[in-house]
Amino acid sequence: MIAFLLAQTIAITGGTVYPVSGPKLANATVLIRDGKIVAVGAGVTTPSGATRIDATGKWVTPGLIDGAGQLGLVEIGAVPGTREGFLRGDTIAAAFNVSEGLNPASMLIPVTRIEGVTTALATPLGNLVAGQAVLIDLAGNTIEEMLVKSPVGIVADLSESGKNEAGGSRAGVADRLRRAFRDALLYERRRADFNRAQMPPLPESPPDLEALLPMLHGQEALIASANRRSDIETALRLAREFKLKLVVAGAQEAWQIAGELARADVPVLVEPLDNIPSYDALGVRYENAGLLAKAGVKIALLETDTHNSRNLRQEAGNAVAYGMNWEQALRAVTLSPAEIFGVADRYGSLEAGKVANVVVWSGDPFEFTTGVEHVLIRGKEIPLKSRQTELLERYRKLPPSY
Amino acid sequence: MRPSLLLLFALAGGCATGAARPTREAGAAPAPAQAPAPAKQAAGESSSVDRQQYPSTYRRHPNPPVVIRNATIMTAAGQEIANGSIVLKDGRIVAVGAKVDAPADAVVVDGAGKYVTPGLIDEHSHLGVYAAPGTDAESDGNEATNPVTAEVWAEHSFWPQDPQIPLAIAGGITTIQALPGSANLIGGRSAILKLIPARTVQEMKFPGARYGLKMACGENPKRVYGQKGGPSTRMGNMAGYRNAFAQAEGYRRKWDKWNKDHQGDPPDRNLKLETLAEVLRGDIYVQNHCYRADEMAHMLDLGREFGFPFRSFHHAVEAYKIRDLLAAAGTGAAVWADWWGFKEEAMDGIKENAALLQQAGVRVNIHSDSPSGIQRLNQEAAKAMYAGIRAGIPVTRDQAIRWVTANPAWAIGLDSLIGTLESGKVADVVVWSGDPFSVYSRAVQVYNDGWLVYDRNDPAHQPRTDFQLGQTPGPGSDR
């Protein structure tokens, strides 16, 4: 159990610290008090009474942030009763915020955080507008304790799968989204008339229309799944028409228009180990992240297999193998997702004032040789235990003792 | 017409087993010692059973000798040779060691800083049968029309133009077992294939390889058939296997008797029972999709009832719980490094599964079951190795490289030919940019039977399937 309000000072000393916001610091200290980072540097003194974590010879980074998946929203993929990320029967489900579907007791959460992922986007699935994604820390006894930001943005599907909700054509997808956005703006202008039933009802429900407005006013992001180059360009077109803050997710063929994305200052969420061609994106390739980074596009890396969000670091390592540089890849699993999701004032780097999500690694976090030695979420050290570590201990010797 | 059969079987001599004829066929390349002579091609008057059954037409691609020098050679046979060299000639490894003699005409590859391993082998792949681009038109892996379809063969679904094939080659894969899916209790025969560019699957069939029989436990068959006449329970699954093999026993008896005495007409062929009879004779390996420990124990009992071994359990996420039973039965396990939780029977997956199995003496291998995972089996082996080491379970680098080379070679019965870097073995060889257990390393060259099928630095050796032609921009090229 994690007590959140207990005052505690922790000093992580002697490690090589990768603040991400600045160059790496040899033999540095990360000082944490009451859940926040209060100092980072080589000259930081450890106050007496502080709990000391010796990180000599270790690497210290911010906790990793996975910009995808359904952590907290799914327990067993094939068991519908354990899935909370999809709202049936609402094509424009803009008002569907997944928060209250989160399960703080999910067994996936310890499995994931003990391998260095401390924060994740919990995203709705399906429909044309799937709903509102939220950012969560992988700790906390209640939904309120887990939430970092809600909502982070409205998720819409401009990929092939979205067509099912829009008459079966990509043109239908764009048209349907445009109408929904216009309806929301119309609703906003004539709310009183709608409420007095002076206007014919719109196809979208009033709560969904209301929920689209912050996005249409640029206060929240549109997180658009799009893979084919032309679909990404459609997302860019919609963003221009409605002055949206766009984030492209999936983005398999984004490398083909990397310069355009960079000029438009549109960030992308990409899964580096994504290269199986489909008619949605024949041009999908391993070099996507590297080519986007080279063009100056802001990137967050994803591991979309929720049960193995812990493999985010393998994704990052492979992004390096296929063209990103190492520092870019580390940023793409820490500070860049924090910036894209609008929490960089609190998350994503090791700097005074930020939330103390910190991981101590035995070495390079992307390498298979490396293990996690300490995980802190909001300044509390997390025991390195999960259902899987318990299974290992039970069956380490046979016969097991039940 | 019938009398001629007698003559035919007389000619075929000891191999005359009728429907029992081993389906292992000999092909062009050197075959394992136990491979039978090809079935006689009889003119006109014989029956189908006496003719060749879907033979391999594989031919070794002509290539010059190659010597790779000054590399770290991971032999998967107990040794890691620093600054070693390896010589490939006429499709075989002819020398491996610190010092080797190379033919004068050998192509010299500078291996400085590089690592060399055997070609990787994936014991569980659906390449070609679930081809990209993943449409219904290409979904050919599950003949989900009956829970027992022992009569179907994966090779007859396999599409050699699957664009996933060159991706897997670029990941260092040289041999796969292409399997039917797991919808059925008994899903059909696997195909053991050399992963090379080809027009037909026959050109890819590994000469002399035995077939596998895909079986499936647990959730999948009962989910698929629960509303379609059953089975709808695990006990129904079990009864389904037993009924099938009980029928096969009678079929086998009939054919064995007829093959011995040739009295009267031969029995009618039944393709379903023919495959199962070959399992009973030990000529086809059983490759069993099975997640839970308790179900694997039932399957071992099934094998005891009908007198056949289980070659390996696939996925086997709970294999670590019964590693002693698997070791005693001599049954291998093909596992993932870390997949878990996508269904209930996968809930108890742990990352130390492979390491615990290794420690218990089980022949464990890391399989993919995925067109994505097959491209990095080396990384998956690395994850599983280091997970074991971190948990205090000893695993050597040689053991871990064997998880993706020698052990899957054993599981498909080809360990005398492939899976290690030793003189006399087939020249299936991968050159890596660095330690294959590092996330940053990539295959730079892949040799299949001595043929350079992939070279990361030479577009002339980056095969592309027909499917990939005409795309704009071309696959792998920057705009």
CSV table of all heavy atoms in Angstrom, one decimal, chain A residues 160-210:
chain,number,residue,atom,x,y,z
A,160,GLU,N,-8.1,2.9,-41.0
A,160,GLU,CA,-9.1,2.1,-41.7
A,160,GLU,C,-10.2,1.6,-40.8
A,160,GLU,O,-11.4,1.5,-41.2
A,160,GLU,CB,-8.3,0.9,-42.2
A,160,GLU,CG,-9.1,0.0,-43.1
A,160,GLU,CD,-8.3,-1.2,-43.6
A,160,GLU,OE1,-7.4,-0.9,-44.5
A,160,GLU,OE2,-8.5,-2.3,-43.2
A,161,SER,N,-9.9,1.3,-39.5
A,161,SER,CA,-10.9,0.8,-38.6
A,161,SER,C,-12.0,1.8,-38.3
A,161,SER,O,-13.2,1.4,-38.0
A,161,SER,CB,-10.3,0.3,-37.3
A,161,SER,OG,-9.4,1.3,-36.7
A,162,GLY,N,-11.7,3.1,-38.5
A,162,GLY,CA,-12.7,4.1,-38.2
A,162,GLY,C,-13.8,4.1,-39.3
A,162,GLY,O,-15.0,4.6,-39.0
A,163,LYS,N,-13.5,3.6,-40.4
A,163,LYS,CA,-14.5,3.6,-41.5
A,163,LYS,C,-15.8,2.9,-41.2
A,163,LYS,O,-16.9,3.2,-41.7
A,163,LYS,CB,-13.9,2.9,-42.8
A,163,LYS,CG,-12.9,3.7,-43.5
A,163,LYS,CD,-12.1,2.9,-44.5
A,163,LYS,CE,-12.9,2.0,-45.3
A,163,LYS,NZ,-12.1,1.3,-46.3
A,164,ASN,N,-15.7,1.8,-40.4
A,164,ASN,CA,-16.9,1.0,-40.0
A,164,ASN,C,-17.9,1.9,-39.3
A,164,ASN,O,-19.1,1.6,-39.4
A,164,ASN,CB,-16.5,-0.1,-39.0
A,164,ASN,CG,-15.5,-1.0,-39.6
A,164,ASN,OD1,-15.5,-1.2,-40.8
A,164,ASN,ND2,-14.7,-1.6,-38.7
A,165,GLU,N,-17.5,3.0,-38.7
A,165,GLU,CA,-18.4,3.9,-38.0
A,165,GLU,C,-18.9,5.0,-38.9
A,165,GLU,O,-19.5,6.0,-38.5
A,165,GLU,CB,-17.7,4.5,-36.8
A,165,GLU,CG,-17.2,3.4,-35.8
A,165,GLU,CD,-18.3,2.6,-35.2
A,165,GLU,OE1,-19.4,3.2,-35.0
A,165,GLU,OE2,-18.1,1.4,-34.9
A,166,ALA,N,-18.4,5.0,-40.2
A,166,ALA,CA,-18.7,6.2,-41.0
A,166,ALA,C,-19.1,5.8,-42.4
A,166,ALA,O,-18.7,6.4,-43.4
A,166,ALA,CB,-17.5,7.1,-41.1
A,167,GLY,N,-19.9,4.7,-42.5
A,167,GLY,CA,-20.4,4.3,-43.8
A,167,GLY,C,-19.5,3.5,-44.7
A,167,GLY,O,-19.8,3.2,-45.8
A,168,GLY,N,-18.2,3.3,-44.2
A,168,GLY,CA,-17.4,2.4,-45.0
A,168,GLY,C,-16.4,3.1,-45.9
A,168,GLY,O,-15.8,2.5,-46.8
A,169,SER,N,-16.3,4.5,-45.8
A,169,SER,CA,-15.3,5.2,-46.7
A,169,SER,C,-14.5,6.2,-45.8
A,169,SER,O,-15.0,6.8,-44.9
A,169,SER,CB,-16.1,6.0,-47.7
A,169,SER,OG,-15.2,6.9,-48.3
A,170,ARG,N,-13.2,6.3,-46.3
A,170,ARG,CA,-12.4,7.3,-45.6
A,170,ARG,C,-13.0,8.7,-45.8
A,170,ARG,O,-12.9,9.5,-44.8
A,170,ARG,CB,-11.0,7.3,-46.2
A,170,ARG,CG,-10.2,6.0,-45.9
A,170,ARG,CD,-8.8,6.1,-46.5
A,170,ARG,NE,-7.8,5.4,-45.6
A,170,ARG,CZ,-7.7,4.1,-45.5
A,170,ARG,NH1,-8.5,3.3,-46.1
A,170,ARG,NH2,-6.8,3.6,-44.6
A,171,ALA,N,-13.6,8.9,-46.9
A,171,ALA,CA,-14.2,10.3,-47.1
A,171,ALA,C,-15.3,10.4,-46.1
A,171,ALA,O,-15.6,11.5,-45.6
A,171,ALA,CB,-14.7,10.4,-48.5
A,172,GLY,N,-16.0,9.3,-45.8
A,172,GLY,CA,-17.1,9.4,-44.8
A,172,GLY,C,-16.6,9.7,-43.4
A,172,GLY,O,-17.2,10.4,-42.7
A,173,VAL,N,-15.4,9.2,-43.1
A,173,VAL,CA,-14.8,9.5,-41.8
A,173,VAL,C,-14.6,11.0,-41.6
A,173,VAL,O,-15.0,11.6,-40.6
A,173,VAL,CB,-13.5,8.7,-41.6
A,173,VAL,CG1,-12.7,9.2,-40.4
A,173,VAL,CG2,-13.7,7.2,-41.5
A,174,ALA,N,-13.9,11.6,-42.6
A,174,ALA,CA,-13.6,13.0,-42.5
A,174,ALA,C,-14.9,13.8,-42.5
A,174,ALA,O,-15.0,14.7,-41.7
A,174,ALA,CB,-12.8,13.4,-43.8
A,175,ASP,N,-15.9,13.4,-43.3
A,175,ASP,CA,-17.1,14.1,-43.4
A,175,ASP,C,-17.9,14.1,-42.0
A,175,ASP,O,-18.4,15.0,-41.5
A,175,ASP,CB,-18.0,13.6,-44.5
A,175,ASP,CG,-19.4,14.2,-44.6
A,175,ASP,OD1,-19.4,15.4,-44.8
A,175,ASP,OD2,-20.4,13.5,-44.4
A,176,ARG,N,-17.9,12.8,-41.5
A,176,ARG,CA,-18.6,12.6,-40.2
A,176,ARG,C,-18.0,13.4,-39.1
A,176,ARG,O,-18.7,14.0,-38.3
A,176,ARG,CB,-18.7,11.1,-39.9
A,176,ARG,CG,-19.5,10.7,-38.7
A,176,ARG,CD,-21.0,10.8,-39.1
A,176,ARG,NE,-21.8,10.7,-37.9
A,176,ARG,CZ,-22.1,11.8,-37.1
A,176,ARG,NH1,-21.6,13.0,-37.3
A,176,ARG,NH2,-22.9,11.6,-36.0
A,177,LEU,N,-16.7,13.5,-39.1
A,177,LEU,CA,-16.0,14.2,-38.0
A,177,LEU,C,-16.3,15.7,-38.2
A,177,LEU,O,-16.6,16.4,-37.2
A,177,LEU,CB,-14.5,14.0,-38.0
A,177,LEU,CG,-14.1,12.6,-37.5
A,177,LEU,CD1,-12.6,12.4,-37.7
A,177,LEU,CD2,-14.4,12.5,-36.0
A,178,ARG,N,-16.2,16.2,-39.4
A,178,ARG,CA,-16.4,17.6,-39.7
A,178,ARG,C,-17.8,18.0,-39.3
A,178,ARG,O,-18.0,19.0,-38.6
A,178,ARG,CB,-16.3,17.8,-41.2
A,178,ARG,CG,-15.3,18.8,-41.6
A,178,ARG,CD,-15.2,19.0,-43.1
A,178,ARG,NE,-13.8,19.0,-43.5
A,178,ARG,CZ,-13.3,18.1,-44.2
A,178,ARG,NH1,-13.9,17.0,-44.6
A,178,ARG,NH2,-12.0,18.2,-44.5
A,179,ARG,N,-18.8,17.1,-39.6
A,179,ARG,CA,-20.2,17.5,-39.2
A,179,ARG,C,-20.3,17.5,-37.7
A,179,ARG,O,-21.0,18.4,-37.1
A,179,ARG,CB,-21.2,16.5,-39.8
A,179,ARG,CG,-21.5,16.8,-41.3
A,179,ARG,CD,-22.6,16.0,-41.8
A,179,ARG,NE,-22.2,14.7,-42.1
A,179,ARG,CZ,-23.0,13.6,-41.9
A,179,ARG,NH1,-24.2,13.7,-41.4
A,179,ARG,NH2,-22.6,12.4,-42.3
A,180,ALA,N,-19.7,16.5,-37.0
A,180,ALA,CA,-19.8,16.5,-35.5
A,180,ALA,C,-19.1,17.8,-35.0
A,180,ALA,O,-19.7,18.4,-34.0
A,180,ALA,CB,-19.1,15.3,-35.0
A,181,PHE,N,-18.0,18.2,-35.5
A,181,PHE,CA,-17.3,19.4,-35.0
A,181,PHE,C,-18.2,20.6,-35.3
A,181,PHE,O,-18.3,21.5,-34.4
A,181,PHE,CB,-15.9,19.6,-35.7
A,181,PHE,CG,-14.9,18.5,-35.4
A,181,PHE,CD1,-13.7,18.4,-36.0
A,181,PHE,CD2,-15.2,17.5,-34.4
A,181,PHE,CE1,-12.8,17.4,-35.8
A,181,PHE,CE2,-14.3,16.5,-34.1
A,181,PHE,CZ,-13.1,16.4,-34.8
A,182,ARG,N,-18.8,20.7,-36.5
A,182,ARG,CA,-19.6,21.9,-36.8
A,182,ARG,C,-20.9,21.8,-35.9
A,182,ARG,O,-21.3,22.9,-35.4
A,182,ARG,CB,-20.1,21.8,-38.2
A,182,ARG,CG,-19.0,22.2,-39.2
A,182,ARG,CD,-19.5,22.4,-40.6
A,182,ARG,NE,-18.4,22.5,-41.5
A,182,ARG,CZ,-18.2,21.7,-42.6
A,182,ARG,NH1,-19.1,20.8,-42.9
A,182,ARG,NH2,-17.2,21.9,-43.4
A,183,ASP,N,-21.4,20.6,-35.7
A,183,ASP,CA,-22.6,20.5,-34.8
A,183,ASP,C,-22.3,21.1,-33.4
A,183,ASP,O,-23.1,21.7,-32.8
A,183,ASP,CB,-23.1,19.1,-34.7
A,183,ASP,CG,-23.8,18.6,-36.0
A,183,ASP,OD1,-24.1,19.5,-36.8
A,183,ASP,OD2,-24.0,17.4,-36.1
A,184,ALA,N,-21.1,20.7,-32.9
A,184,ALA,CA,-20.7,21.1,-31.6
A,184,ALA,C,-20.6,22.7,-31.5
A,184,ALA,O,-21.1,23.3,-30.5
A,184,ALA,CB,-19.3,20.5,-31.2
A,185,LEU,N,-20.0,23.3,-32.6
A,185,LEU,CA,-19.9,24.7,-32.6
A,185,LEU,C,-21.3,25.4,-32.7
A,185,LEU,O,-21.6,26.4,-32.1
A,185,LEU,CB,-19.0,25.2,-33.7
A,185,LEU,CG,-17.5,24.7,-33.5
A,185,LEU,CD1,-16.7,25.0,-34.8
A,185,LEU,CD2,-16.9,25.4,-32.3
A,186,LEU,N,-22.2,24.8,-33.5
A,186,LEU,CA,-23.5,25.3,-33.6
A,186,LEU,C,-24.3,25.1,-32.3
A,186,LEU,O,-25.0,26.1,-31.9
A,186,LEU,CB,-24.3,24.4,-34.7
A,186,LEU,CG,-25.8,24.7,-34.9
A,186,LEU,CD1,-25.9,26.1,-35.5
A,186,LEU,CD2,-26.4,23.7,-35.8
A,187,TYR,N,-24.1,24.0,-31.7
A,187,TYR,CA,-24.7,23.8,-30.4
A,187,TYR,C,-24.3,24.8,-29.4
A,187,TYR,O,-25.1,25.4,-28.6
A,187,TYR,CB,-24.4,22.4,-29.9
A,187,TYR,CG,-24.9,22.1,-28.5
A,187,TYR,CD1,-26.2,21.6,-28.3
A,187,TYR,CD2,-24.1,22.2,-27.4
A,187,TYR,CE1,-26.7,21.3,-27.0
A,187,TYR,CE2,-24.5,22.0,-26.1
A,187,TYR,CZ,-25.8,21.5,-25.9
A,187,TYR,OH,-26.3,21.2,-24.7
A,188,GLU,N,-23.0,25.1,-29.4
A,188,GLU,CA,-22.5,26.1,-28.5
A,188,GLU,C,-23.1,27.5,-28.7
A,188,GLU,O,-23.5,28.2,-27.8
A,188,GLU,CB,-20.9,26.2,-28.6
A,188,GLU,CG,-20.3,27.2,-27.7
A,188,GLU,CD,-18.8,27.3,-27.9
A,188,GLU,OE1,-18.4,27.4,-29.1
A,188,GLU,OE2,-18.1,27.4,-26.9
A,189,ARG,N,-23.2,27.9,-30.0
A,189,ARG,CA,-23.8,29.2,-30.4
A,189,ARG,C,-25.3,29.3,-30.0
A,189,ARG,O,-25.8,30.3,-29.6
A,189,ARG,CB,-23.7,29.5,-31.9
A,189,ARG,CG,-22.3,29.9,-32.3
A,189,ARG,CD,-22.3,30.5,-33.7
A,189,ARG,NE,-22.9,29.7,-34.7
A,189,ARG,CZ,-22.3,28.7,-35.4
A,189,ARG,NH1,-21.0,28.5,-35.1
A,189,ARG,NH2,-22.9,28.0,-36.3
A,190,ARG,N,-26.0,28.1,-30.1
A,190,ARG,CA,-27.4,28.2,-30.0
A,190,ARG,C,-27.9,27.2,-28.9
A,190,ARG,O,-29.0,26.6,-29.0
A,190,ARG,CB,-28.1,27.9,-31.3
A,190,ARG,CG,-27.7,28.9,-32.4
A,190,ARG,CD,-28.4,28.7,-33.7
A,190,ARG,NE,-29.9,28.8,-33.5
A,190,ARG,CZ,-30.7,28.6,-34.5
A,190,ARG,NH1,-30.3,28.3,-35.7
A,190,ARG,NH2,-32.0,28.8,-34.3
A,191,ARG,N,-27.1,27.1,-27.8
A,191,ARG,CA,-27.4,26.2,-26.7
A,191,ARG,C,-28.9,26.4,-26.2
A,191,ARG,O,-29.6,25.5,-26.0
A,191,ARG,CB,-26.4,26.4,-25.6
A,191,ARG,CG,-26.1,25.2,-24.8
A,191,ARG,CD,-25.1,25.5,-23.7
A,191,ARG,NE,-23.8,24.9,-23.9
A,191,ARG,CZ,-22.7,25.6,-24.0
A,191,ARG,NH1,-22.7,26.9,-24.0
A,191,ARG,NH2,-21.6,25.0,-24.2
A,192,ALA,N,-29.2,27.7,-26.0
A,192,ALA,CA,-30.5,28.0,-25.5
A,192,ALA,C,-31.6,27.5,-26.4
A,192,ALA,O,-32.6,27.0,-25.9
A,192,ALA,CB,-30.6,29.6,-25.3
A,193,ASP,N,-31.5,27.7,-27.7
A,193,ASP,CA,-32.5,27.3,-28.6
A,193,ASP,C,-32.7,25.7,-28.6
A,193,ASP,O,-33.8,25.2,-28.6
A,193,ASP,CB,-32.1,27.7,-30.1
A,193,ASP,CG,-32.2,29.2,-30.2
A,193,ASP,OD1,-32.9,29.8,-29.5
A,193,ASP,OD2,-31.4,29.7,-31.1
A,194,PHE,N,-31.5,25.0,-28.5
A,194,PHE,CA,-31.6,23.6,-28.3
A,194,PHE,C,-32.3,23.2,-27.1
A,194,PHE,O,-33.2,22.3,-27.1
A,194,PHE,CB,-30.2,22.9,-28.3
A,194,PHE,CG,-29.6,22.8,-29.7
A,194,PHE,CD1,-28.6,23.7,-30.1
A,194,PHE,CD2,-30.1,21.9,-30.6
A,194,PHE,CE1,-28.1,23.6,-31.4
A,194,PHE,CE2,-29.6,21.9,-31.9
A,194,PHE,CZ,-28.5,22.7,-32.3
A,195,ASN,N,-32.0,23.9,-26.0
A,195,ASN,CA,-32.6,23.5,-24.7
A,195,ASN,C,-34.1,23.8,-24.7
A,195,ASN,O,-34.9,23.1,-24.0
A,195,ASN,CB,-31.9,24.3,-23.6
A,195,ASN,CG,-30.5,23.8,-23.4
A,195,ASN,OD1,-30.2,22.7,-23.9
A,195,ASN,ND2,-29.7,24.5,-22.7
A,196,ARG,N,-34.5,24.8,-25.5
A,196,ARG,CA,-36.0,25.1,-25.6
A,196,ARG,C,-36.6,24.3,-26.7
A,196,ARG,O,-37.8,24.5,-27.0
A,196,ARG,CB,-36.2,26.6,-25.8
A,196,ARG,CG,-35.9,27.5,-24.6
A,196,ARG,CD,-36.5,28.9,-24.8
A,196,ARG,NE,-36.1,29.5,-26.1
A,196,ARG,CZ,-35.0,30.3,-26.2
A,196,ARG,NH1,-34.3,30.6,-25.1
A,196,ARG,NH2,-34.7,30.8,-27.3
A,197,ALA,N,-35.8,23.4,-27.3
A,197,ALA,CA,-36.3,22.5,-28.4
A,197,ALA,C,-36.8,23.4,-29.5
A,197,ALA,O,-37.8,23.1,-30.2
A,197,ALA,CB,-37.5,21.6,-27.9
A,198,GLN,N,-36.1,24.5,-29.7
A,198,GLN,CA,-36.4,25.4,-30.9
A,198,GLN,C,-35.7,25.0,-32.1
A,198,GLN,O,-35.8,25.6,-33.2
A,198,GLN,CB,-36.1,26.9,-30.6
A,198,GLN,CG,-36.7,27.4,-29.3
A,198,GLN,CD,-38.0,28.1,-29.6
A,198,GLN,OE1,-38.1,29.0,-30.4
A,198,GLN,NE2,-39.0,27.6,-28.9
A,199,MET,N,-34.8,24.0,-31.9
A,199,MET,CA,-34.0,23.5,-33.0
A,199,MET,C,-34.2,22.0,-33.1
A,199,MET,O,-34.4,21.3,-32.1
A,199,MET,CB,-32.5,23.7,-32.7
A,199,MET,CG,-32.1,25.2,-32.7
A,199,MET,SD,-31.6,25.8,-34.3
A,199,MET,CE,-30.2,24.8,-34.8
A,200,PRO,N,-34.1,21.5,-34.4
A,200,PRO,CA,-34.2,20.0,-34.5
A,200,PRO,C,-33.0,19.4,-33.8
A,200,PRO,O,-31.9,20.0,-33.8
A,200,PRO,CB,-34.2,19.8,-36.0
A,200,PRO,CG,-33.7,21.0,-36.6
A,200,PRO,CD,-34.0,22.1,-35.7
A,201,PRO,N,-33.2,18.2,-33.2
A,201,PRO,CA,-32.1,17.6,-32.5
A,201,PRO,C,-30.9,17.2,-33.5
A,201,PRO,O,-31.2,16.9,-34.6
A,201,PRO,CB,-32.7,16.3,-31.9
A,201,PRO,CG,-33.9,16.1,-32.6
A,201,PRO,CD,-34.4,17.4,-33.1
A,202,LEU,N,-29.7,17.3,-33.0
A,202,LEU,CA,-28.5,16.9,-33.7
A,202,LEU,C,-28.3,15.4,-33.5
A,202,LEU,O,-28.7,14.8,-32.6
A,202,LEU,CB,-27.4,17.7,-33.3
A,202,LEU,CG,-27.5,19.2,-33.5
A,202,LEU,CD1,-26.5,20.0,-32.8
A,202,LEU,CD2,-27.4,19.5,-35.0
A,203,PRO,N,-27.5,14.8,-34.5
A,203,PRO,CA,-27.2,13.4,-34.3
A,203,PRO,C,-26.4,13.1,-33.1
A,203,PRO,O,-26.5,11.9,-32.6
A,203,PRO,CB,-26.5,13.0,-35.6
A,203,PRO,CG,-26.2,14.3,-36.3
A,203,PRO,CD,-27.1,15.4,-35.8
A,204,GLU,N,-25.6,14.0,-32.7
A,204,GLU,CA,-24.8,13.7,-31.5
A,204,GLU,C,-25.5,14.2,-30.2
A,204,GLU,O,-26.3,15.1,-30.3
A,204,GLU,CB,-23.4,14.5,-31.6
A,204,GLU,CG,-22.6,14.2,-32.8
A,204,GLU,CD,-23.1,15.1,-34.0
A,204,GLU,OE1,-23.9,16.0,-33.8
A,204,GLU,OE2,-22.6,14.8,-35.1
A,205,SER,N,-25.3,13.5,-29.1
A,205,SER,CA,-26.0,13.9,-27.9
A,205,SER,C,-25.3,15.2,-27.3
A,205,SER,O,-24.2,15.5,-27.6
A,205,SER,CB,-25.8,12.8,-26.8
A,205,SER,OG,-24.5,12.8,-26.3
A,206,PRO,N,-26.1,16.0,-26.6
A,206,PRO,CA,-25.6,17.2,-26.0
A,206,PRO,C,-24.3,17.0,-25.2
A,206,PRO,O,-23.4,17.8,-25.3
A,206,PRO,CB,-26.8,17.8,-25.2
A,206,PRO,CG,-28.0,17.3,-25.9
A,206,PRO,CD,-27.6,15.9,-26.4
A,207,PRO,N,-24.3,16.0,-24.4
A,207,PRO,CA,-23.0,15.8,-23.6
A,207,PRO,C,-21.8,15.6,-24.5
A,207,PRO,O,-20.7,16.1,-24.3
A,207,PRO,CB,-23.3,14.5,-22.8
A,207,PRO,CG,-24.7,14.4,-22.7
A,207,PRO,CD,-25.3,15.0,-23.9
A,208,ASP,N,-22.0,14.8,-25.6
A,208,ASP,CA,-20.9,14.6,-26.5
A,208,ASP,C,-20.5,15.9,-27.2
A,208,ASP,O,-19.3,16.2,-27.4
A,208,ASP,CB,-21.2,13.5,-27.6
A,208,ASP,CG,-21.2,12.1,-27.0
A,208,ASP,OD1,-20.4,11.9,-26.1
A,208,ASP,OD2,-22.0,11.3,-27.4
A,209,LEU,N,-21.5,16.7,-27.6
A,209,LEU,CA,-21.2,18.0,-28.2
A,209,LEU,C,-20.4,18.9,-27.3
A,209,LEU,O,-19.4,19.5,-27.6
A,209,LEU,CB,-22.5,18.6,-28.7
A,209,LEU,CG,-23.2,17.9,-29.9
A,209,LEU,CD1,-24.6,18.5,-30.1
A,209,LEU,CD2,-22.4,17.9,-31.1
A,210,GLU,N,-20.9,18.9,-26.0
A,210,GLU,CA,-20.2,19.8,-25.0
A,210,GLU,C,-18.8,19.3,-24.9
A,210,GLU,O,-17.9,20.1,-24.7
A,210,GLU,CB,-20.9,19.6,-23.6
A,210,GLU,CG,-22.3,20.2,-23.5
A,210,GLU,CD,-22.3,21.7,-23.2
A,210,GLU,OE1,-21.2,22.3,-23.2
A,210,GLU,OE2,-23.4,22.3,-23.1
